[in-house]
Amino acid sequence: MEAGAQHEASHIVEDAAGEQVVTPWEVSAPEGGIDYDKLVDRFGCQRVDAALVDRISRVTLRPPHRFLRRGIFFAHRDFNKILDIYEAGEKFYLYTGRGPSSEALHLGHLIPFMFTNGSRSGFPSCTAACRSGRKDSEDGSQVLSGFAVVLTYLQDAFKVPLVIQLTDDEKFLWKNLTIVECKRLARENAKDIIACGFDIEKTFIFSDFNYIGGSFYENMVETSSRVRFNNLRGILGLSVEDHIGKIGFPPVQAVPSFASSFPHLFPGKDQLPCLIPCAIDQDPYFRMTRDVAPKIGFQKPSLIESRFFPALQGEGIKMSASDPSSAIYVTDSCKQIKEKVNKYAFSGGQDSIELHRELGANLDVDIPIKYLNFFLEDDDELEHIKTMYKEGRMLTGEVKHRLVEVLSEMVAAHQRARSRVTEEIVDAFMAARPFHSMFG
């Protein structure tokens, strides 16, 4: 095993009682939020430092995405190896996913997709093909052939294909939802994902319920046979009280990182490397995957991992579909966004204007600043706002006003794009078909 493999193979993800817990299904921390330095050390990841960000910029010949510039994607596993591969003229593919448990996505759900396609606003400008929704081929594979965003990042910068997994089976196992409902939500979520501007000629979206079988299932079985339950308990925090559906699920999320799971996309390319952009809570799945991969003849996937997107009420509160006030959804109106930000977004400002002018704001806990850090593209404007706010020369209401402008513009653009995503277009993105120019 590689250095730090004890983390990848069997390290328990929970701290001592009363401290932070991070699993794919539970994220909690004491007051003050997640200690990311501790989490990186515990999981055995590597930190995304300035040297790596500079190298990414040199290799891609474009400025680094704001998520890299600002440390939002802050940890990785073997991302340097991906850059080595790319510089040597070799190829890789991208894999990310979404667990469809709600009708609409909130902004936090969009982070890996915004990073993967990387437009300045996060949402697309559609071509004429997108606007008309025309069908150029019998199977619909050329629908929206131009449905791509200007200034794409990972997908376009590296000119590589992308697979997006919709884990509708996982949500059936963990949520109180029927299979029919999980499958319906997967298609609804697919529309939101497509609206982010991915290139249909390089993007395959699949739902587990509809796709699993053949080579994908063979890889699942191979993976399952190499993982002992004791190791799974240590990595993922599962217990003997969990039903066997939960215990059997992890290989489903593991094997999209093996190219042979997609024979229609990558025939004869079983060793094609994989890069996975995801939130840090998904790391346990891929620690397991990286431990198993060499045992069944595959390369370990590389990862680049993000911080968590905070709830409006603060980092100690979990965003929840049952509490719509905890998040901004892509279905929210401008009025709803304004009301949520003004009423619920936790402020680091002082209790009175006089005190605020004297002491300034605490940026470490201020949610409007954190949201602007994710979504405001202009670095100079962001630093100006932070400086003025911290020094008390800008008030909470002014910061929230700017955030409302940024979010309203983003969400309205997303809604316009999503309104053009038809059922036919969803079918086209989810059709199992070859990519004829996937590395072009």
Side-chain angles (χ1 to χ4, degrees):
M1 287 186 181
E2 66 189 82
Q6 70 273 17
H7 294 280
E8 296 196 356
S10 61
H11 199 281
I12 294 175
V13 297
E14 296 190 10
D15 278 332
E19 297 191 23
Q20 64 188 23
V21 176
V22 176
T23 76
W25 313 288
E26 180 184 1
V27 176
S28 63
E31 189 173 349
I34 296 292
D35 184 334
Y36 288 101
D37 287 333
K38 187 175 183 180
L39 198 57
V40 167
D41 292 340
R42 145 104 23 86
F43 282 178
C45 308
Q46 301 155 285
R47 289 169 174 80
V48 174
D49 57 18
L52 181 60
V53 174
D54 288 344
R55 187 183 178 198
I56 294 169
S57 182
R58 290 196 307 273
V59 167
T60 60
L61 301 177
R62 64 181 64 199
H65 193 282
R66 66 179 180 274
F67 289 171
L68 288 170
R69 300 195 305 266
R70 297 173 189 170
I72 290 168
F73 275 81
F74 74 105
H76 72 100
R77 292 185 184 273
D78 289 342
F79 192 81
N80 274 310
K81 290 185 179 180
I82 291 292
L83 297 178
D84 292 342
I85 289 166
Y86 184 76
E87 285 190 299
E90 300 175 19
K91 305 299 182 182
F92 65 94
Y93 73 100
L94 298 164
Y95 155 43
T96 193
R98 160 74 185 140
S101 60
S102 59
E103 190 80 27
L105 306 188
H106 60 59
L107 296 185
H109 292 144
L110 291 179
I111 297 305
F113 303 114
M114 292 173 69
F115 184 55
T116 306
N117 95 337
S119 71
R120 285 191 181 274
S121 66
F123 304 109
S125 299
C126 294
T127 63
C130 168
R131 289 191 292 271
S132 66
R134 62 182 171 86
K135 181 176 178 178
D136 291 337
S137 68
E138 204 58 40
D139 65 358
S141 62
Q142 294 302 311
V143 174
L144 292 189
S145 60
F147 194 99
V149 69
V150 180
L151 298 167
T152 54
Y153 193 69
L154 283 180
Q155 188 181 60
D156 187 59
F158 291 102
K159 295 180 173 55
V160 291
L162 165 68
V163 296
I164 300 174
Q165 180 182 40
L166 300 174
T167 55
D168 41 9
D169 53 341
E170 178 194 26
K171 294 310 170 186
F172 171 73
L173 294 170
W174 265 268
K175 303 287 186 180
N176 186 26
L177 297 169
T178 66
I179 289 177
V180 170
E181 181 67 358
C182 289
K183 293 174 73 172
R184 186 187 73 81
L185 292 175
R187 285 186 68 87
E188 291 303 307
N189 284 191
K191 293 173 185 177
D192 277 324
I193 293 167
I194 292 167
C196 291
F198 292 104
D199 184 348
I200 195 170
E201 295 181 347
K202 292 183 172 68
T203 306
F204 174 50
I205 302 174
F206 68 98
S207 82
D208 289 343
F209 277 132
N210 291 333
Y211 181 75
I212 288 177
S215 298
F216 193 101
Y217 184 66
E218 290 174 16
N219 286 340
M220 284 173 50
V221 173
E222 286 271 21
T223 300
S224 299
S225 71
R226 302 306 200 282
V227 181
R228 297 290 175 262
F229 180 58
N230 279 342
N231 285 344
L232 199 65
R233 290 172 66 186
I235 297 168
L236 291 164
L238 294 170
S239 76
V240 294
E241 302 302 319
D242 286 308
H243 63 67
I244 61 174
K246 292 183 179 182
I247 296 166
F249 174 77
V252 181
Q253 188 157 324
V255 302
S257 61
F258 305 147
S260 64
S261 297
F262 306 102
H264 66 283
L265 293 180
F266 309 123
K269 295 182 172 66
D270 289 0
Q271 295 302 319
L272 190 68
C274 177
L275 172 64
I276 305 168
C278 61
I280 189 70
D281 62 329
Q282 300 302 298
D283 186 88
Y285 276 124
F286 300 112
R287 293 207 301 281
M288 179 200 76
T289 308
R290 285 167 57 86
D291 184 56
V292 169
K295 299 175 184 177
I296 58 177
F298 296 129
Q299 296 191 51
K300 296 181 178 184
S302 299
L303 287 85
I304 185 160
E305 302 175 315
S306 72
R307 298 172 182 267
F308 300 121
F309 188 76
L312 283 166
Q313 289 85 349
E315 295 212 57
I317 307 297
K318 181 176 175 58
M319 283 184 286
S320 171
S322 62
D323 180 11
S325 69
S326 66
I328 304 294
Y329 286 82
V330 295
T331 52
D332 285 346
S333 66
C334 292
K335 180 180 178 181
Q336 288 173 313
I337 292 170
K338 182 177 180 180
E339 289 175 347
K340 287 183 178 182
V341 169
N342 288 335
K343 186 174 182 179
Y344 299 113
F346 187 82
S347 171
Q350 304 300 329
D351 292 337
S352 68
I353 292 178
E354 293 76 15
L355 199 59
H356 183 81
R357 296 293 191 198
E358 178 185 350
L359 301 177
N362 178 358
L363 303 188
D364 292 336
V365 300
D366 191 89
I367 290 299
I369 288 294
K370 291 181 184 293
Y371 277 30
L372 286 171
N373 197 50
F374 274 87
F375 299 123
L376 181 60
E377 176 64 28
D378 190 313
D379 289 339
D380 291 338
E381 183 184 0
L382 179 64
E383 288 308 309
H384 175 74
I385 291 171
K386 287 182 175 180
T387 299
M388 296 286 285
Y389 193 36
K390 185 176 182 179
E391 294 176 357
R393 292 185 287 156
M394 193 171 190
L395 301 177
T396 296
E398 295 173 290
V399 177
K400 287 187 173 184
H401 176 74
R402 183 65 183 115
L403 176 62
V404 168
E405 290 180 334
V406 170
L407 297 185
S408 296
E409 181 181 353
M410 284 176 49
V411 172
H414 181 85
Q415 291 170 359
R416 289 193 297 271
R418 193 188 191 282
S419 70
R420 294 188 285 264
V421 180
T422 64
E423 295 296 334
E424 180 186 49
I425 290 167
V426 176
D427 289 340
F429 270 90
M430 299 183 78
R433 76 272 184 205
F435 288 164
H436 297 295
S437 58
M438 70 177 87
F439 297 115

